[in-house]
Amino acid sequence: MFDVIVVGGGNAALCAALTAREGGASVLILESAPIEWRGGNSVHTRNLRCMHDAPQDVLVEAYPEEEFWQDLLKVTGGLTNEKLARIIIRGTSTVRDWMRKHGVHFQPSLSGTLHVARTNAFFMGGGKALVNAFFRSAEQLGIKIRYETTVKHVNVKDGIFESVVLDNGEVISGKSCVLACGGFESNREWLKEAWGQNENGEWPADNFLIRGTKFNRGDVLKNLLDQGADQIGDVTQGHCVAIDARSPLYDGGICTRLDCVSLGIVVNQFAKRFYDEGEDFWPKRYAIWGRLVALQQGQIAYSIIDSKAIGRFMPPVFSAIKGNTISEIAQQLNLDVDQLNQTVNEFNQSCHVGTFNHNILDDCHTENIAPEKTHWALPIDQGPFYAYPLRPGITFTYLSLKTDETAAVFFNEQASPNLFVAGELMAGNVLGKGYTAGIGMSIGTIFGRIAGQSAADAVKKMKESHAHA
Ligand SMILES: Cc1cc2nc3c(=O)[nH]c(=O)nc-3n(C[C@H](O)[C@H](O)[C@H](O)COP(=O)(O)OP(=O)(O)OC[C@H]3O[C@@H](n4cnc5c(N)ncnc54)[C@H](O)[C@@H]3O)c2cc1C
């Protein structure tokens, strides 16, 4: 029998497995995906948000605990557990050395991206390289890995973990267990049920695209909730980005995101604006746009920019729809030509142009228009014009298993002594809503390590009590 069974094969699972092994436990990883698709959503990532009080290897300037905490507080609107959040924030100040020990490399900060180079450490080779490094290290440390192995049921008796049951009926017992198998974002039926039908009779989730792995179906989450595990979070909340509507259903990854939203206007299928496109920097605000598009009729929107915006955002993977006039753009998007011209004209007339600077919350804003655009508001007047269709791109869901500082799974407000949780599966404890770039990996890495340590400690305790019996 293995000491620790880890369910999942992404960053959180790997951090848990490696830490449990370092704590002296024998470890088995069960990963749903085949080897070539291993690593879950973590393979798509690029960076980790880290606090630091002074410049530190790849991070410039300082990003103190309090600023990180305030950023989180702002995006979640207070829907966060401060104690757990601060554990995560503090943990990020030292975790990079541990990650390096297991083969992860970080890239030097990029020039021209100061607001991200200060807060986020970028993985050399991205999340795919990180996951591969962790798997290599796991193999070297003697951790057993089984691919194409899906856990369907977790046997828990009186809050105590006993075994897992696979989709083929096989039962695997363990002394303790870490659940780190993602949210339910790739379970389209569950998303549909969660979002329900809107006032127009539409099922919004039918139009969602999933940015990451198709293996995060939430089987274990549902199973634990059915068994009375304590839950936290709203079933419809999650990290949801506006992505190019032409993206594939699964695994489109980072390149399908559109960063031009704040440089122009966004209109719905009635050619009308519906939200302040210049509210804040993209690392703080980009994750609200998927949800905003999801709330529009048809779950479709269009980002419209002019030639001045070209070169000011990451080049997207799909080419833009191009037109010499706004009318040409409207025709190509099947939007009402007069209405789009009116929306653009009204916006242009409302622009109070100051000193444009996309690196700060500048003073270019609108006046006497609703919704306002509070920064980077420049008239859309220099052809050719460009447009991108937007759909909600779901990254991960926030409905979670409730946990504490030991990463224990709770049943009736009682902490399990040997069942722990990490990553997306518990992210809702600190992310009630909203998102700030890089915190998904901060949560997964720090809670992965805590869960792994707790699982190894639980096994030690068990061995000690047997020795004394
Ligand atoms: C395109 C994209 C870009 C992102 N960029 C960033 C970024 O730059 N920085 C950041 O912080 N976050 C980013 N995120 C979010 C980040 O991916 C997650 O927060 C983080 O990877 C979660 O790690 P995890 O280990 O909990 O889940 P995952 O990495 O998704 O791993 C879950 C694993 O569980 C397995 N699994 C699922 N169900 C079962 C089951 N029943 N039995 C066995 N195994 C199962 C899956 O196969 C998968 O391997 C991004 C996400 C996407 C999709």
Side-chain angles (χ1 to χ4, degrees):
M1 188 197 288
F2 281 90
D3 289 336
V4 178
I5 294 175
V6 176
V7 183
N11 175 60
L14 291 161
C15 289
L18 291 166
T19 307
R21 186 77 192 107
E22 286 171 339
S26 61
V27 181
L28 169 67
I29 292 178
L30 304 176
E31 158 67 300
S32 239
I35 190 163
E36 58 272 25
W37 286 100
R38 69 183 183 182
N41 284 347
S42 303
V43 301
H44 291 295
T45 66
R46 298 178 306 158
N47 58 49
L48 170 82
R49 183 167 284 253
C50 299
M51 71 154 274
H52 52 108
D53 288 325
Q56 230 183 47
D57 55 86
V58 293
L59 294 164
V60 301
E61 298 182 359
Y63 186 50
E65 176 179 337
E66 203 49 35
E67 190 182 346
F68 193 151
W69 164 241
Q70 289 300 329
D71 283 345
L72 180 63
L73 201 58
K74 190 168 159 192
V75 295
T76 57
L79 287 176
T80 179
N81 178 325
E82 180 166 359
K83 187 172 176 191
L84 302 189
R86 285 193 188 269
I87 289 171
I88 291 163
I89 293 170
R90 285 178 201 143
T92 61
S93 67
T94 51
V95 78
R96 291 196 311 287
D97 283 344
W98 179 83
M99 294 168 78
R100 283 192 181 96
K101 208 176 86 190
H102 290 290
V104 176
H105 299 285
F106 293 90
Q107 67 182 44
S109 54
L110 304 171
S111 61
T113 56
L114 189 60
H115 54 277
V116 200
R118 186 171 72 84
T119 53
N120 290 35
F122 282 71
F123 315 128
M124 186 75 84
K128 182 89 174 165
L130 169 136
V131 159
N132 285 342
F134 278 160
F135 271 113
R136 259 194 309 275
S137 197
E139 281 160 6
Q140 278 159 12
L141 291 172
I143 292 172
K144 178 101 176 28
I145 303 157
R146 283 182 59 176
Y147 297 102
E148 296 180 65
T149 304
T150 298
V151 171
K152 280 283 180 194
H153 181 77
V154 182
N155 280 316
V156 186
K157 202 170 164 203
D158 299 328
I160 299 172
F161 166 78
E162 292 180 343
S163 59
V164 293
V165 185
L166 307 184
D167 54 356
N168 63 7
E170 187 186 346
V171 179
I172 305 176
S173 304
K175 292 179 187 145
S176 73
C177 179
V178 175
L179 306 173
C181 43
F184 70 90
E185 59 274 1
S186 47
N187 186 332
R188 305 197 75 216
E189 302 77 40
W190 193 351
L191 288 177
K192 190 168 170 174
E193 183 192 315
W195 279 77
Q197 228 173 346
N198 66 17
E199 63 281 6
N200 306 308
E202 301 169 320
W203 295 89
D206 280 347
N207 282 320
F208 291 4
L209 300 169
I210 291 105
R211 300 175 72 215
T213 181
K214 65 177 179 189
F215 293 97
N216 287 354
R217 295 188 42 82
D219 293 332
V220 168
L221 173 61
K222 194 155 233 157
N223 178 257
L224 265 286
L225 295 180
D226 287 348
Q227 294 187 63
D230 296 347
Q231 76 174 54
I232 191 157
D234 171 349
V235 73
T236 68
Q237 287 290 346
H239 180 289
C240 195
V241 182
I243 61 172
D244 197 302
R246 298 163 288 183
S247 309
L249 178 55
Y250 294 106
D251 271 315
I254 196 76
C255 64
T256 64
R257 199 181 72 203
L258 285 164
D259 289 342
C260 52
V261 161
S262 58
L263 290 162
I265 58 168
V266 178
V267 298
N268 58 21
Q269 65 172 348
F270 306 107
K272 293 196 170 158
R273 290 177 61 240
F274 52 90
Y275 198 80
D276 176 2
E277 301 89 346
E279 190 175 40
D280 208 338
F281 294 112
W282 73 262
K284 289 179 192 162
R285 303 309 301 181
Y286 75 93
I288 65 165
W289 276 92
R291 201 177 171 78
L292 291 169
V293 175
L295 296 173
Q296 297 304 307
Q297 200 165 322
Q299 298 77 53
I300 185 96
Y302 303 93
S303 168
I304 296 172
I305 55 173
D306 71 358
S307 291
K308 297 194 293 299
I310 299 298
R312 286 178 168 156
F313 61 99
M314 290 273 281
V317 70
F318 297 98
S319 25
I321 288 149
K322 192 174 169 187
N324 288 321
T325 60
I326 291 296
S327 299
E328 271 183 40
I329 290 283
Q331 276 153 3
Q332 291 188 70
L333 299 178
N334 271 331
L335 295 178
D336 184 288
V337 174
D338 292 342
Q339 180 59 58
L340 188 62
N341 275 302
Q342 189 184 329
T343 299
V344 172
N345 287 339
E346 282 171 8
F347 171 78
N348 288 353
Q349 280 159 22
S350 77
C351 286
H352 179 93
V353 178
T355 310
F356 178 86
N357 186 343
H358 208 210
N359 289 318
I360 56 166
L361 295 174
D362 73 6
D363 59 355
C364 297
H365 63 275
T366 57
E367 279 169 4
N368 303 321
I369 195 170
E372 57 183 341
K373 182 173 178 185
T374 45
H375 305 99
W376 314 303
L378 295 181
I380 299 174
D381 57 2
Q382 196 177 306
F385 302 93
Y386 300 90
Y388 296 92
L390 303 171
R391 283 266 185 227
I394 187 147
T395 319
F396 65 101
T397 49
Y398 291 174
L399 180 73
S400 290
L401 298 178
K402 196 170 175 198
T403 192
D404 66 358
E405 66 275 17
T406 68
V409 173
F410 274 68
F411 296 86
N412 293 323
E413 295 182 27
Q414 293 290 313
S416 168
N418 67 345
L419 183 62
F420 304 96
V421 62
E424 285 176 0
L425 201 46
M426 49 66 64
N429 287 272
V430 285
L431 290 171
K433 64 171 186 172
Y435 190 77
T436 182
I439 200 169
M441 292 299 274
S442 309
I443 296 170
T445 307
I446 304 308
F447 259 80
R449 298 213 59 214
I450 293 172
Q453 190 60 57
S454 293
D457 290 347
V459 173
K460 265 190 217 148
K461 254 192 230 159
M462 228 179 275
K463 285 181 180 162
E464 278 162 18
S465 69
H466 283 147
H468 292 126

